[in-house]
Amino acid sequence: MTTQPRKPTNLSLDAALLSEARALKVNLSRAAEEGVRHAVASAKAERWKAENAAALESSNAYVEAHGVPLARFRQF
């Protein structure tokens, strides 16, 4: 696994949370990166759902009207 280049960034954090994190020796850079990575993934998922809402609605309507395609071949 190759690591991506890192870029210094300034953040403003809740003072109490920052104190607690430091007391627990939490790596703030890694924790912030994980949080941002999670937020980016969530935002991408929401954008995908919005961009594909019409297709999802169409597919759901088809299944509701006609059932699951190839359902007769299901083993469960």
Side-chain angles (χ1 to χ4, degrees):
M1 178 171 106
T2 60
T3 59
Q4 296 295 320
R6 303 183 74 72
K7 182 172 175 71
T9 304
N10 292 325
L11 297 173
S12 296
L13 301 172
D14 177 275
L17 181 62
L18 180 59
S19 293
E20 190 172 8
R22 284 184 173 155
L24 295 168
K25 299 185 190 296
V26 172
N27 182 323
L28 296 174
S29 293
R30 298 291 180 199
E33 188 173 336
E34 286 178 27
V36 171
R37 185 174 282 115
H38 177 74
V40 166
S42 293
K44 282 182 173 181
E46 287 303 315
R47 182 173 33 175
W48 185 92
K49 285 187 218 173
E51 289 173 352
N52 292 285
L56 293 169
E57 288 175 25
S58 173
S59 178
N60 289 340
Y62 178 88
V63 170
E64 195 159 320
H66 304 285
V68 177
L70 306 175
R72 67 178 182 260
F73 298 110
R74 293 175 89 173
Q75 298 288 321
F76 53 93

